Amino acid sequence: MKKIIDDIFYVGVDDLKLDLFEGQFAIPDGISYNSYLIVDEKVAVIDSIDAKFGDEWLANLEEVLEGRSPDYLIVQHMEPDHSSSIRKFTEKYPEAQVVGNQKTFVMLGEYFGAGFPANQLAVKEGETLSFGKHSLRFIFAPMVHWPEVMFSYDAATRTLFSADAFGKFGALSKREKNWEDEARRYYFGIVGKYGAQVKGVLLKVGSLDIDRIAPLHGPVLEGKKLTTAVHHYKKWAAYAPETDGVLIACSSIYGHTREGAEYLAAQLEKRGQKVKLIDLIRDDWAECIAQAFRFPKLVVAATTYNGEIFPAARNFLTGLAERNYQWRTVGFIENGTWAPVCARQMRAKLEDCKNLVFTEAAVKIRSALSEQSRAEIDALAEELSRNG
Ligand code: FEO
């Protein structure tokens, strides 16, 4: 098993079989369920893993423990990808205390039956549990990503165990291209709605000396990678764009709406704008959502379908609204042969989002691009190119 530092070991497992994480996020490179072990005068395990890999996880523990038994299982997060092996653990190590907070134990009772586990140790915000040289201070992180979530900080090694925060898609055995792409897709897919709470916990841990962050998915972050990750998290939590330019999110049935989107891209580029065009039908949904948060400006191009927004665009807008999409400029291109009405509906989807500016220029394509719709796209490009 991999030693992280001093007495801290990685005992998690890669999942390369699962197709959809949380039943909806494609994970072509798998995912890791991380678990850590502190071997000191007392032994503490930090989080269990998905039940499908419970035996493998317990074998990893045994390999490091060489006959010792854990004294504590720290439960930072109750989502089943981290908690569903807890019963297996308590059956094997009935003497170990299960450490959580009040909310953790309510959820443990819901998943495993009232009164489970027998050996509970409830901690409060800011409390510290000592194991010898090492200790863990518990920092509550409600809604990052569930209400019971807590981070744990070991001052001896300056290690922050951050639960889901700072996690990413991708198994550890897979070669990582860069940290941020799959971390961004994971963040906005899973935690994006809770920017205020992420900001809150970043403030709480801001005064700590941190040499490494050990999340529940993805690699342990140290050095340059740690700096990059914190930089991105501050931006993402504040809903701040990462780059200039315009994202054009297009869904086209026969290619005419796409033609309008491409014409807009060309007009924007002519005016010096950086442009990214994505296909809402074929591109990964979570990646489309993540891209929308990268850019300060968005144009959604869609067809009216059954008197509604074409499904791919509807799902995209629903996903943005659910994730508190905000502080952006948004425009629309609608298409329809006899009753184009979806621009109004698309705007309505985002009506409750805070701090959005909708463009004055509106584009209505009647079946295919015309002189009229080209002129409307020119006006939209002009408006989006003003002020940067
Ligand atoms: Fe990785 Fe919210 O569970």
Side-chain angles (χ1 to χ4, degrees):
M1 279 309 98
K2 194 184 165 205
K3 187 171 184 169
I4 306 286
I5 186 172
D6 296 345
D7 317 303
I8 304 180
F9 297 84
Y10 178 81
V11 285
V13 172
D14 271 356
D15 186 347
L16 290 161
K17 289 188 185 142
L18 188 69
D19 53 351
L20 295 174
F21 185 72
E22 285 191 355
Q24 61 171 333
F25 300 104
I27 44 169
D29 286 331
I31 193 153
S32 67
Y33 308 118
N34 298 349
S35 168
Y36 303 95
L37 187 57
I38 301 178
V39 184
D40 202 341
E41 287 166 32
K42 300 271 186 189
V43 172
V45 182
I46 300 171
D47 286 304
S48 88
I49 66 166
D50 191 286
K52 290 194 297 295
F53 300 91
D55 290 335
E56 214 171 326
W57 172 60
L58 290 177
N60 288 349
L61 287 176
E62 266 187 41
E63 193 186 323
V64 182
L65 288 174
E66 296 176 327
R68 288 184 71 183
S69 290
D71 298 282
Y72 302 104
L73 171 64
I74 316 294
V75 182
Q76 298 188 116
H77 185 17
M78 274 302 298
E79 193 166 2
D81 52 331
H82 310 293
S83 70
S84 53
S85 294
I86 293 178
R87 186 188 287 288
K88 210 163 214 175
F89 175 89
T90 57
E91 281 166 5
K92 183 162 183 183
Y93 301 112
E95 303 300 319
Q97 287 194 292
V98 177
V99 181
N101 55 57
Q102 209 186 358
K103 289 182 177 141
T104 317
F105 292 115
V106 172
M107 292 181 185
L108 274 164
E110 287 173 4
Y111 277 106
F112 297 102
F116 178 88
N119 223 348
Q120 302 184 2
L121 176 61
V123 293
K124 294 197 169 67
E125 164 92 63
E127 232 173 81
T128 298
L129 188 60
S130 176
F131 314 119
K133 262 194 329 196
H134 301 270
S135 61
L136 286 179
R137 182 168 140 208
F138 301 105
I139 300 149
F140 287 14
M143 301 320 294
V144 185
H145 140 239
W146 281 17
E148 85 299 353
V149 170
M150 53 189 195
F151 291 1
S152 315
Y153 176 68
D154 174 36
T157 56
R158 302 182 188 193
T159 303
L160 179 71
F161 297 93
S162 63
D164 271 345
F166 296 95
K168 71 186 277 288
F169 297 127
L172 296 177
S173 56
K174 291 279 182 176
R175 196 166 160 267
E176 191 178 58
K177 290 175 212 96
N178 63 43
W179 178 84
E180 55 269 29
D181 285 350
E182 282 298 75
R184 182 190 301 108
R185 197 166 71 90
Y186 170 92
Y187 176 87
F188 284 109
I190 291 168
V191 197
K193 178 180 173 66
Y194 305 111
Q197 289 84 348
V198 175
K199 214 168 162 182
V201 80
L202 289 179
L203 273 176
K204 272 199 217 176
V205 299
S207 57
L208 300 174
D209 283 330
I210 296 171
D211 284 353
R212 73 191 53 71
I213 292 181
L216 288 179
H217 303 286
V220 171
L221 303 163
E222 295 177 301
K224 201 164 163 254
K225 209 179 236 184
L226 173 63
T227 313
T228 305
V230 172
H231 167 80
H232 278 96
Y233 256 68
K234 284 182 179 165
K235 284 212 162 199
W236 296 341
Y239 298 96
E242 289 176 54
T243 178
D244 293 333
V246 183
L247 180 74
I248 305 173
C250 171
S251 64
S252 187
I253 304 172
Y254 293 104
H256 302 97
T257 309
R258 172 95 191 183
E259 222 177 298
E262 285 172 355
Y263 179 72
L264 173 66
Q267 295 313 304
L268 286 165
E269 278 165 356
K270 232 164 66 180
R271 290 166 174 80
Q273 292 290 307
K274 179 177 163 185
V275 178
K276 186 173 175 73
L277 175 57
I278 55 172
D279 181 341
L280 294 176
I281 299 171
R282 288 167 191 84
D283 292 343
D284 175 74
W285 176 84
E287 179 59 19
C288 292
I289 296 284
Q291 289 297 328
F293 284 96
R294 272 189 75 216
F295 285 86
K297 300 169 194 172
L298 168 70
V299 174
V300 187
T303 316
T304 301
Y305 192 82
N306 285 334
E308 251 284 359
I309 311 162
F310 188 73
R314 189 165 65 213
N315 292 344
F316 172 66
L317 290 162
T318 301
L320 291 184
E322 275 177 14
R323 285 158 181 77
N324 283 323
Y325 186 66
Q326 53 187 272
W327 293 110
R328 300 294 190 276
T329 300
V330 183
F332 301 105
I333 296 175
E334 66 176 343
N335 192 354
T337 297
W338 70 96
V341 292
C342 73
R344 182 172 41 83
Q345 295 169 345
M346 289 196 282
R347 181 172 170 151
K349 280 267 180 203
L350 300 178
E351 212 62 73
D352 292 336
C353 295
K354 286 183 289 184
N355 300 307
L356 292 187
V357 175
F358 294 102
T359 61
E360 280 174 27
V363 179
K364 193 187 292 283
I365 300 173
R366 284 268 178 185
S367 303
L369 275 184
S370 63
E371 208 175 303
Q372 169 69 24
S373 49
R374 277 201 176 84
E376 289 171 2
I377 291 174
D378 290 343
L380 180 60
E382 193 58 39
E383 186 176 342
L384 288 167
S385 304
R386 270 182 234 136
N387 309 318

